[in-house]
């Protein structure tokens, strides 16, 4: 199912909140954030109390969108809580609470909840708080609470359970996600064939396990159902690159950029591969396109500045850096603070300012 298929279906079901919620959720998972937001807002306008978790999805369309703000995402969650008073939404809200006493209150309240599906959401939210041990405990209790027949029931919350365990693997290396996660994801794919997250989580699981051949197989299977899924093309390209097949990777990356011209990461990976093949001019062309192809992606513009500085184009590097750095979010700035090239760009900028003053 393509993005255009989803948008056409939304247009033909514009007064059906149930259908619109599913479409908006799918579009959010496929990083079509403004489109998802428009459809989810329509659905919640039609049925503001009936789909509490849709407020969480709406919030993610703000959190993940460089053109929006975290404040708008938090407001979507708060609005949903005020309208629905849903415990499910409270579980999602745990992920974003900055006040430790309030966070701990919600965790204690929800940790005693009878519904194991809700506790799966809570376990996922704890990951956002960096509480890995607590998350693992809550998720383990939740899966036991579903009972031995959960593979027959296959509640949709298992998608969140699987993605949580894949995430946890980084902090818990002994976690056997191949045995505990992959069978559930395969069952979910069969039950819900057009839910992209079940396919994306399998791809991520094989990436975490560094099984590049299985990554490629999972990507091929995913693209058979979602032929315009550019993120899957990137994952497949990265796997081909790991296996020493750069031209296969470049072919997929070109397709991904064609589908979504603003896809900055695909341009960055293509640029890196082209440079490794000695195609410096093509590498430069791709990386220098990022600020225009996605002018709201400040991280991409700073990466363009880094490339320019590394390759001796200091004037362009300073221009890109000034343009991108100011728009970085606080956590993004902290990620760049220790970057050695960014430090050099900063020093170059200071020297340039000093020279201008002295002149």
């Amino acid at each position: 199912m393509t993005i255009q298929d989803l948008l056409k279906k939304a247009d033909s079901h514009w007064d059906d909140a149930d259908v619109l919620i599913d479409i908006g959720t799918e579009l959010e998972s496929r990083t079509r954030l403004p489109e998802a937001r428009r459809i989810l807002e329509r659905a919640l306008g039609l049925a503001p109390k009936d789909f509490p978790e849709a407020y969480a999805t709406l919030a993610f369309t703000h959190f993940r969108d460089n053109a929006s703000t975290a404040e708008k995402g938090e407001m979507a969650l708060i609005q949903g809580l005020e309208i629905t008073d849903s415990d499910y939404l409270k579980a999602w809200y745990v992920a974003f609470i900055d006040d430790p006493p309030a966070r701990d209150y919600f965790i204690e309240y929800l940790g005693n909840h009878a519904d194991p599906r809700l506790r799966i959401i809570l376990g996922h939210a704890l990951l956002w708080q960096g509480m890995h041990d607590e998350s693992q405990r809550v998720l383990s209790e939740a899966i036991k609470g579903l009972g031995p027949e959960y593979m027959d029931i296959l509640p949709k919350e298992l998608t969140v359970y699987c993605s949580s365990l894949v995430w946890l693997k980084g902090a818990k290396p002994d976690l056997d996600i191949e045995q505990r996660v992959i069978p559930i994801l395969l069952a979910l794919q069969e039950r819900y064939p057009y839910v992209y997250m079940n396919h994306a989580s399998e791809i991520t699981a094989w990436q975490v396990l560094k099984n590049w051949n299985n990554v490629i197989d999972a990507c091929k299977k995913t693209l058979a159902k979602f032929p315009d899924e550019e993120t899957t093309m990137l994952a497949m390209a990265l796997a081909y690159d790991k296996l020493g097949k750069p031209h296969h990777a470049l072919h997929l990356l070109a397709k991904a950029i064609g589908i979504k011209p603003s896809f900055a990461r695909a341009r960055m990976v293509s640029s890196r591969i082209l440079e490794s093949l000695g195609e410096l001019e093509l590498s430069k062309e791709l990386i220098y396109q990022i600020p225009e192809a996605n002018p709201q992606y400040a991280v991409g513009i700073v990466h363009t500045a880094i490339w320019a500085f590394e390759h001796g184009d200091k004037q362009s590097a300073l221009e890109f850096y000034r343009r991108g750095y100011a728009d970085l979010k606080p956590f993004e700035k902290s990620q760049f603070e220790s970057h050695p090239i960014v430090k050099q760009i900063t020093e170059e900028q200071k020297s340039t300012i000093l020279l201008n003053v002295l002149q």
Side-chain angles (χ1 to χ4, degrees), residues 198-240:
N198 294 324
H199 297 268
S201 294
E202 183 194 357
I203 293 167
T204 305
W206 292 124
Q207 286 176 321
V208 167
L209 293 170
K210 294 181 170 47
N211 189 325
W212 308 119
N213 286 307
N214 280 10
V215 169
I216 290 168
D217 289 342
C219 287
K220 287 179 178 177
K221 177 177 64 175
T222 302
L223 289 170
K225 285 189 166 61
F226 310 93
D228 62 343
E229 220 313 300
E230 75 282 344
T231 309
T232 301
M233 294 174 191
L234 172 63
M236 194 171 176
L238 290 168
Y240 273 128

Side-chain angles (χ1 to χ4, degrees), residues 45-321:
L46 292 170
K49 295 184 178 181
D50 297 343
F51 304 95
E53 287 177 87
Y55 288 98
T57 309
L58 178 60
F60 279 110
T61 70
H62 289 290
F63 291 134
R64 298 179 59 213
D65 191 349
N66 294 301
S68 188
T69 65
E71 288 77 16
K72 289 181 180 178
E74 188 167 359
M75 284 306 300
L77 281 170
I78 291 170
Q79 181 186 28
L81 284 167
E82 290 174 346
I83 291 172
T84 68
D85 194 34
S86 163
D87 283 348
Y88 268 78
L89 200 51
K90 291 170 187 172
W92 280 114
Y93 189 49
V94 165
F96 310 104
I97 298 175
D98 289 330
D99 179 27
R103 179 198 64 199
D104 293 345
Y105 168 79
F106 274 105
I107 291 171
E108 183 178 1
Y109 167 71
L110 295 166
N112 296 320
H113 204 284
D115 189 346
R117 296 172 303 167
L118 180 145
R119 295 205 300 278
I120 287 174
I121 307 301
L122 175 61
H124 186 76
L126 291 172
L127 286 174
W128 286 75
Q129 292 281 356
M131 303 170 69
H132 298 120
D133 292 339
E134 296 86 346
S135 173
Q136 186 175 32
R137 177 182 58 77
V138 170
L139 290 167
S140 296
E141 292 172 354
I143 198 72
K144 290 175 184 175
L146 287 173
E149 69 282 1
Y150 72 86
M151 286 292 283
D152 297 322
I153 301 169
L154 285 178
K156 290 184 178 181
E157 290 78 10
L158 284 175
T159 299
V160 177
Y161 172 80
C162 289
S163 65
S164 300
L165 289 192
V166 172
W167 185 349
L168 262 174
K169 176 70 174 176
K172 306 285 182 181
D174 294 335
L175 197 60
D176 188 353
I177 60 174
E178 184 169 356
Q179 295 299 318
R180 293 180 60 182
V181 170
I182 298 295
I184 300 175
L185 288 172
L186 295 178
L188 286 167
Q189 289 170 18
E190 187 173 351
R191 179 75 59 87
Y192 309 107
Y194 292 104
V195 174
Y196 173 66
M197 275 305 299
N198 294 324
H199 297 268
S201 294
E202 183 194 357
I203 293 167
T204 305
W206 292 124
Q207 286 176 321
V208 167
L209 293 170
K210 294 181 170 47
N211 189 325
W212 308 119
N213 286 307
N214 280 10
V215 169
I216 290 168
D217 289 342
C219 287
K220 287 179 178 177
K221 177 177 64 175
T222 302
L223 289 170
K225 285 189 166 61
F226 310 93
D228 62 343
E229 220 313 300
E230 75 282 344
T231 309
T232 301
M233 294 174 191
L234 172 63
M236 194 171 176
L238 290 168
Y240 273 128
D241 188 40
K242 292 286 187 181
L243 292 172
K245 296 181 177 181
H247 292 96
H248 288 68
L250 288 170
H251 171 69
L252 283 159
L253 292 164
K255 286 180 65 176
I257 293 167
I259 288 168
K260 192 175 184 182
S262 63
F263 196 8
R265 192 175 173 211
R267 292 180 189 274
M268 286 190 278
V269 174
S270 293
S271 176
R272 174 180 58 75
I273 294 173
L274 284 165
E275 184 172 5
S276 73
L277 295 173
E279 298 285 355
L280 191 59
E281 284 303 312
L282 286 174
S283 174
K284 177 180 177 180
E285 181 180 335
L286 272 170
I287 204 79
Y288 275 39
Q289 288 170 356
I290 288 172
E292 304 312 318
N294 195 341
Q296 293 169 323
Y297 185 42
V299 169
I301 298 173
V302 174
H303 274 294
T304 305
I306 291 169
W307 193 99
F309 195 88
E310 285 181 314
H311 292 80
D313 188 357
K314 292 185 178 180
Q315 184 59 40
S316 295
L318 289 172
E319 290 172 5
F320 289 134
Y321 180 73

